[in-house]
Amino acid sequence: SVKVRGVFTFGQSEGAMTVARFDDRRYGAMIRGRIISAFSVEYCYFTPTREAGTFGGDREVPTLNLIGDLDQYFGPIDSVALSVTKQQDKGGWGADDLTGNGFKEMKRKRIRRGLVCVLEGAKHDPSETHDNFIRDILRAFLSTPADCHRIREQFKMDPYLYSKCKVVEEDREGGGIRQLMKVDAMDFPSTLTYAQELRRRATFRARGKSTPLGGAINVVDKFFSLRTTVEVHCWAA
């Protein structure tokens, strides 16, 4: 049953704001994780009050936040959120220290297990630049959400992928582990299928060494041998 298997809540853009603010505490352990994509979880033009610009649910629920550093709506550079924040003398509102991602609020609310991935060069639809990376990160998170702070280490099986991810900050204050991870721009077009990209990764130089083709095959076998039975409830714009 759903109560035994559990569910993940997943939102994109406006749907991500809903997931972030959703008070899921009454559902207890049935909520296995939450995924917030293309929303910065900050006080901004999209949230009416400061209290609305944060996480509204159980801090024990593992949380993944995916957002591009060039997000046109919630990013820290030339975004709608930044523009409205800068016009407070004309009725605008928003956090003075806008960061463009949810890590600040993760730390403040002390989410027990949290990972924020800031995707270099990605806009409001991160799949346009990081499509196959998103497949990797979602597969890892959905498999073991409470280990989301170990995902970069799990990527060691794929040297190319591992080289693209850098943990820039880790917070353990007050218990739990929260990570802010920068994900570099991808070298392959997002139009490639996952299998096609894995073949290219296999011959790409990672850390100064060529990765053997067998490495890519092992990655495919490893990932597709996972059998995680879950339900994902999505809210999208």
Side-chain angles (χ1 to χ4, degrees), residues 17-225:
M17 182 270 291
T18 302
V19 171
R21 295 177 61 182
F22 178 54
D23 186 355
D24 51 25
R25 289 174 291 181
R26 60 179 158 169
Y27 299 104
M30 190 170 74
I31 306 296
R32 295 190 57 195
R34 64 172 73 92
I35 304 169
I36 299 164
S37 177
F39 178 60
S40 59
V41 198
E42 293 181 285
Y43 177 45
C44 65
Y45 81 100
F46 218 64
T47 51
T49 63
R50 291 186 183 277
E51 292 72 23
T54 189
F55 297 95
D58 190 345
R59 73 186 191 97
E60 298 293 328
V61 174
T63 302
L64 173 65
N65 178 209
L66 302 170
I67 191 163
D69 62 0
L70 297 182
D71 190 294
Q72 308 98 301
Y73 300 98
F74 305 111
I77 303 171
D78 195 27
S79 67
V80 175
L82 184 62
S83 176
V84 174
T85 295
K86 288 182 175 179
Q87 299 182 55
Q88 295 188 28
D89 58 332
K90 299 178 182 179
W93 68 94
D96 294 327
D97 55 343
L98 201 74
T99 64
N101 64 73
F103 191 63
K104 176 179 60 181
E105 287 302 312
M106 270 192 187
K107 292 194 296 182
R108 190 174 74 83
K109 299 291 281 191
R110 293 184 177 175
I111 300 298
R112 181 69 63 181
R113 291 288 187 273
L115 176 64
V116 176
C117 296
V118 178
L119 314 179
E120 181 184 13
K123 295 184 177 181
H124 195 56
D125 180 359
S127 68
E128 292 180 346
T129 54
H130 290 72
D131 187 63
N132 284 316
F133 168 79
I134 293 172
R135 295 172 189 269
D136 289 315
I137 197 75
L138 290 181
R139 185 175 290 111
F141 183 77
L142 292 171
S143 297
T144 53
D147 286 334
C148 59
H149 59 291
R150 296 192 178 101
I151 284 179
R152 183 174 185 263
E153 296 303 308
Q154 295 172 16
F155 285 167
K156 281 185 176 180
M157 70 177 72
D158 183 337
Y160 173 80
L161 189 61
Y162 180 78
S163 73
K164 289 293 180 181
C165 301
K166 299 174 179 63
V167 175
V168 296
E169 186 176 348
E170 182 173 282
D171 176 63
R172 296 178 179 242
E173 185 175 350
I177 306 174
R178 296 153 290 276
Q179 282 187 351
L180 174 61
M181 186 166 74
K182 177 189 174 186
V183 181
D184 292 342
M186 298 290 108
D187 299 282
F188 312 117
S190 284
T191 53
L192 293 179
T193 66
Y194 187 61
Q196 288 172 332
E197 179 164 319
L198 285 180
R199 293 190 191 99
R200 293 202 183 188
R201 290 182 193 177
T203 57
F204 194 90
R205 288 193 165 280
R207 295 182 174 271
K209 297 181 179 179
S210 294
T211 307
L213 181 60
I217 295 173
N218 289 337
V219 170
V220 175
D221 290 342
K222 177 75 172 181
F223 282 152
F224 286 95
S225 67

Side-chain angles (χ1 to χ4, degrees), residues 9-17 19 35-38 233-236:
T9 54
F10 185 0
Q12 165 79 14
S13 188
E14 294 180 24
M17 182 270 291
V19 171
I35 304 169
I36 299 164
S37 177
H233 288 193
C234 302
W235 288 270

